[in-house]
Amino acid sequence: MQPKNKVSLIARLRSMRETRFGAFVPVLLALAAIWIYFGLAVPIWDYWGDPDAETLRFIFLSPRNIYNLFMQSAVIATLAVGITVVLLLGEIDLSAAATAGVCAALLGVLVLMDVPAPIACIIVMVLGIVIGAAQGILVAYVGIPSFVVTLAGLLGFQGVMQKILPTGNLNVGDPFVRGFARVLLPDAMGWALGILCVLFFAWTILSKQTQRKARGLELDNKVAVWGQIAFFGALVLATVATLNSYRSVPLLIVLLIAITAVVGWITTSTPYGRAIFSVGGNPESARRVGIDVKRIRVSAFAIVGLMAAIGGIFGASRFGSVSYTAFAGGSLLLESIGAAVIGGTSLFGGRGSVWNAILGALVIGSLGNGLDLSGAGAADKLMFSGAILLLAVAIDAISRSGTSER
Amino acid sequence: MSQTKHSMGPMAPSPHLRVSGIHKSFGGVHALKGVDFEVARGEVMALVGDNGAGKSTLMKVLAGAHIADEGEFFIDEKSVSVNSPHDASDLGIQIVYQDLALCENLDVAANLCLGAEPIKPGFTFLPRLLRPLDDLAMEVRAQEAIDRLQVKTLKSVRAKVGGLSGGQRQAIAIARAVGADGTVVMLDEPTAALGVAQTRQVLDVVKRLRDTDHAVVYISHNMRDIFEVADRICVLRHGANVATWTKDDVTPDEIVGAMTRGLDSEATNAA
């Protein structure tokens, strides 16, 4: 009886993964598990274990902490979105964090030299694109494996960053740069944006459904359609409400979501995105239908470079400084690759989504934040992160082994 | 080459694609030595031969993947030149390689439209690669292609190719090759890795292609499949023609003999 049930559960998980929305479920479950553990289980355990405790204190799930959580995860998420794009191709980028570091350092120096901050930001983004495209050319045209190219990039750019910042640290006080992380949307505007997002989401789904009917195509399940809308609505509005109840929706989060929406749209709804998926799935197939595989590769690396530069700007904005350890020398790289993979993006290419990368970043961020709150040391954090990463990839492997081996 | 004519008889339909005197060398290896080949619309022409006989080379020459050293191409008896895969596909010549080259991570509709996705009108300010896909038009197009070939077992064009059976994949690869305006379809060992039921499905698709007035070139080693679908059978040996028969004039044993020994006996008789 039991094994039969188990098989059907895995089969159901597999069939669920095939739908576009279903791919979110594993990472959402992971996130829910972490939040329940740190948000509910740990406080209740403390309350019972400690007779002196007066009240239950849900620190982790307090609006203030969730606000911080979002801000902490934002830089990881930005890089993870970019890394997802190359992972879709079946390539990897180990240099993203170092690129972000170089870009952030250059931004700091430029601002210090009285270059207007918006221009400095554009220069830095162009630099990111150039760095990414250069690595992409080495991968696609010279034929060096991306692992090696970007490993060299990781080492080299760490050095470059140290050259730019001999002291290893530079404060960034420019109001424009700081503004990304500091500016808060007024409460009403946050609500308006959230509601607009939900309405737009509902409109696209429903209008697609009516068009399907008009063209005589098979229809989506009605429950699934409304379930998606309700779920998405609840998620967005709950986020806005939580952020508003502490401060309000920060500009950084809005920008992150907007950038992810653009990248997500490009990867799923344009011929270019299709080309990325097909190169990741079967490069030979892409080549035969006339897709310029090499150019697709280079452009994907350029996108990572751009996202790394944006991540660098966001990081400089949030920390108010550029430091070697915060970018190139720290754990940012592995956290952002981890975020992409925890989000369910395959390392072998062809499967994944940039939205999942954001959720993956939240998983990594929540884990670090929760362990910090419960007083765990750096060693515990590392071990837990490793375990979660392994668990996520294991869930991924089990849920898709059926389709990949046939 | 005279043998070809003599074995074919007067019944031979007028060819749609005809090549003559094809030579192709790879370094010192003379892979094709003046091969003639033709296929008519509404006909399945089987191309058989032992390993190394030049079937695949001939097929790649026809598809423009290899460029012939010598030889002439005719479409409906008009001389044409094929110097790249692009030329071939412009002439409606399509090839389905043995490895199919489908993207398992994409659904059927995406695979069928890959590289030529329909896009929504407007958005002219964007480069073509970044304009929004019209995924509904894509599904409609895919559904039409599937219906044309009558792939009955395929439930939905939104199914991922990774979850399909071998026969269904072969059918989808064929549907993609045929597209809207393919006229000559070449199939390389389409049933080599398939079971009985799957083979049946593919053979049905091949027949369906013939019924829809396509010219089909069918490469296979399996005599049973060949005698089931082929109208004519062309035998190659050592990079040259042995003979071309209409199916009813020949037995599988004769074909196997021609593949392995050529027509020595007949040749000596004639001399």
Side-chain angles (χ1 to χ4, degrees), chain A residues 265-266 269-272, chain B residues 119-120 122-133:
Chain A
W265 181 78
I266 287 176
S269 307
T270 65
Y272 173 74
Chain B
I119 47 178
K120 289 182 183 150
F123 300 97
T124 43
F125 58 94
L126 288 168
R128 190 185 184 283
L129 270 180
L130 291 180
R131 288 185 210 165
L133 289 173

Side-chain angles (χ1 to χ4, degrees), chain A residues 18-20 88 207-208 211-212 215 217-220 265-266 268-275 277-282 284-286 288-291 296 349-351 402-404 406, chain B residues 97 99-107 110-111 114-117 119-120 126 128-140 143 155-158 160 162-165 169 176:
Chain A
E18 293 300 310
T19 67
R20 197 158 156 187
L88 285 176
S207 70
K208 187 151 267 183
Q211 281 178 34
R212 280 186 175 285
R215 299 204 197 186
L217 289 163
E218 65 175 308
L219 294 177
D220 288 315
W265 181 78
I266 287 176
T268 57
S269 307
T270 65
Y272 173 74
R274 258 316 130 72
F277 272 86
S278 71
V279 172
N282 189 339
E284 183 57 22
S285 169
R288 282 193 200 148
V289 296
I291 292 170
I296 298 283
R351 284 166 224 264
T403 55
S404 59
R406 226 183 303 173
Chain B
Y97 289 98
D99 63 356
L100 301 187
L102 295 170
C103 290
E104 301 196 354
N105 57 331
L106 296 177
D107 62 16
N111 266 287
L114 196 61
E117 291 92 350
I119 47 178
K120 289 182 183 150
L126 288 168
R128 190 185 184 283
L129 270 180
L130 291 180
R131 288 185 210 165
L133 289 173
D134 191 346
D135 42 1
L136 297 178
M138 205 144 87
E139 281 179 37
V140 171
Q143 192 64 55
K155 285 199 205 85
S156 162
V157 293
R158 286 202 279 167
K160 290 265 193 302
L164 301 184
S165 72
R169 288 180 195 207
R176 178 166 83 179

Side-chain angles (χ1 to χ4, degrees), chain B residues 1-20:
Chain B
M1 313 310 114
S2 59
Q3 286 157 348
T4 315
K5 294 276 177 254
H6 115 87
S7 318
M8 224 153 52
M11 303 250 311
S14 73
H16 174 62
L17 168 70
R18 185 165 75 82
V19 294
S20 71

Side-chain angles (χ1 to χ4, degrees), chain B residues 22-34 51-54 57 61 66-67 69 238-239:
Chain B
I22 299 285
H23 284 268
K24 177 72 191 173
S25 304
F26 297 100
V29 183
H30 207 167
L32 295 178
K33 306 165 187 162
N51 288 336
T57 312
V61 166
H66 291 332
I67 298 165
D69 300 334
H238 297 328

Side-chain angles (χ1 to χ4, degrees), chain A residues 26 31 43 48 94 106 144 219 265 278 282 337 369 371 376:
Chain A
L31 196 58
W48 282 348
L94 298 177
L106 184 71
I144 313 171
L219 294 177
W265 181 78
S278 71
N282 189 339
I337 292 181
N369 181 297
L371 288 168

Side-chain angles (χ1 to χ4, degrees), chain A residues 94-405:
Chain A
L94 298 177
S95 73
T99 308
V102 169
C103 291
L106 184 71
L107 177 72
V109 171
L110 285 176
V111 169
L112 208 63
M113 282 162 33
D114 283 335
V115 176
I119 295 177
C121 286
I122 290 171
I123 292 175
V124 159
M125 278 152 70
V126 171
L127 175 72
I129 293 176
V130 170
I131 290 178
Q135 296 190 349
I137 287 169
L138 288 176
V139 171
Y141 288 91
V142 183
I144 313 171
S146 58
F147 186 89
V148 179
V149 171
T150 57
L151 184 62
L154 165 68
L155 297 172
F157 294 135
Q158 281 182 348
V160 171
M161 191 177 177
Q162 286 182 348
K163 267 270 186 313
I164 301 178
L165 299 179
T167 57
N169 201 342
L170 179 65
N171 287 329
V172 179
D174 184 88
F176 179 83
V177 175
R178 292 289 274 146
F180 291 121
R182 279 204 176 147
V183 169
L184 297 166
L185 265 53
D187 280 10
M189 203 161 143
W191 279 114
L193 258 180
I195 290 170
L196 270 180
C197 279
V198 176
L199 287 179
F200 181 73
F201 181 80
W203 176 77
T204 44
I205 285 200
L206 290 176
S207 70
K208 187 151 267 183
Q209 188 79 338
T210 45
Q211 281 178 34
R212 280 186 175 285
K213 204 172 260 174
R215 299 204 197 186
L217 289 163
E218 65 175 308
L219 294 177
D220 288 315
N221 185 344
K222 222 170 205 163
V223 180
V225 167
W226 285 103
Q228 279 180 31
I229 294 174
F231 184 81
F232 181 81
L235 202 68
V236 170
L237 297 181
T239 308
V240 173
T242 314
L243 292 176
N244 273 350
S245 68
Y246 175 56
R247 282 182 180 161
S248 73
V249 182
L251 180 64
L252 186 64
I253 300 301
V254 176
L255 282 177
L256 173 63
I257 301 283
I259 292 169
T260 311
V262 170
V263 179
W265 181 78
I266 287 176
T267 50
T268 57
S269 307
T270 65
Y272 173 74
R274 258 316 130 72
I276 288 187
F277 272 86
S278 71
V279 172
N282 189 339
E284 183 57 22
S285 169
R287 199 184 57 75
R288 282 193 200 148
V289 296
I291 292 170
D292 190 336
V293 175
K294 289 178 177 171
R295 239 191 269 171
I296 298 283
R297 287 225 164 92
V298 174
S299 63
F301 275 94
I303 292 178
V304 198
L306 176 63
M307 292 306 290
I310 295 175
I313 297 171
F314 283 177
S317 169
R318 188 177 132 62
F319 303 131
S321 72
V322 183
S323 69
Y324 179 70
T325 44
F327 292 99
S331 57
L332 180 61
L333 167 72
L334 293 179
E335 282 174 349
S336 45
I337 292 181
V341 173
I342 287 174
T345 297
S346 167
L347 282 168
F348 303 104
R351 284 166 224 264
S353 147
V354 292
W355 290 107
N356 290 24
I358 290 205
L359 292 175
L362 271 179
V363 167
I364 295 248
S366 306
L367 202 63
N369 181 297
L371 288 168
D372 279 343
L373 286 182
S374 43
D380 294 318
K381 269 172 80 173
L382 287 173
M383 291 192 295
F384 266 98
S385 304
I388 289 287
L389 182 63
L390 212 52
L391 191 67
V393 180
I395 291 175
D396 191 49
I398 292 169
S399 68
R400 69 177 40 145
S401 60
T403 55
S404 59
E405 275 169 33

Side-chain angles (χ1 to χ4, degrees), chain B residues 45-202:
Chain B
M45 174 67 106
L47 183 58
V48 299
D50 212 348
N51 288 336
K55 296 169 299 187
S56 298
T57 312
L58 176 60
M59 197 174 72
K60 282 177 184 159
V61 166
L62 293 179
H66 291 332
I67 298 165
D69 300 334
E70 261 179 67
E72 290 172 291
F73 279 70
F74 301 93
I75 291 276
D76 292 328
E77 294 303 330
K78 264 198 295 241
S79 180
V80 292
S81 66
V82 174
N83 294 317
S84 72
H86 198 242
D87 290 350
S89 62
D90 281 353
L91 293 169
I93 303 171
Q94 298 288 348
I95 188 165
V96 181
Y97 289 98
Q98 211 167 348
D99 63 356
L100 301 187
L102 295 170
C103 290
E104 301 196 354
N105 57 331
L106 296 177
D107 62 16
V108 173
N111 266 287
L112 285 174
C113 300
L114 196 61
E117 291 92 350
I119 47 178
K120 289 182 183 150
F123 300 97
T124 43
F125 58 94
L126 288 168
R128 190 185 184 283
L129 270 180
L130 291 180
R131 288 185 210 165
L133 289 173
D134 191 346
D135 42 1
L136 297 178
M138 205 144 87
E139 281 179 37
V140 171
R141 207 202 270 181
Q143 192 64 55
E144 283 169 5
I146 294 295
D147 290 345
R148 232 179 291 139
L149 292 180
Q150 298 182 335
V151 189
K152 294 184 195 97
T153 55
L154 189 70
K155 285 199 205 85
S156 162
V157 293
R158 286 202 279 167
K160 290 265 193 302
V161 168
L164 301 184
S165 72
Q168 287 170 329
R169 288 180 195 207
Q170 187 76 47
I172 287 160
I174 294 172
R176 178 166 83 179
V178 178
D181 42 40
T183 53
V184 180
V185 187
M186 297 185 279
L187 307 171
D188 188 3
E189 305 260 9
T191 60
L194 301 182
V196 176
Q198 308 286 341
T199 300
R200 165 107 332 268
Q201 196 178 14
V202 172

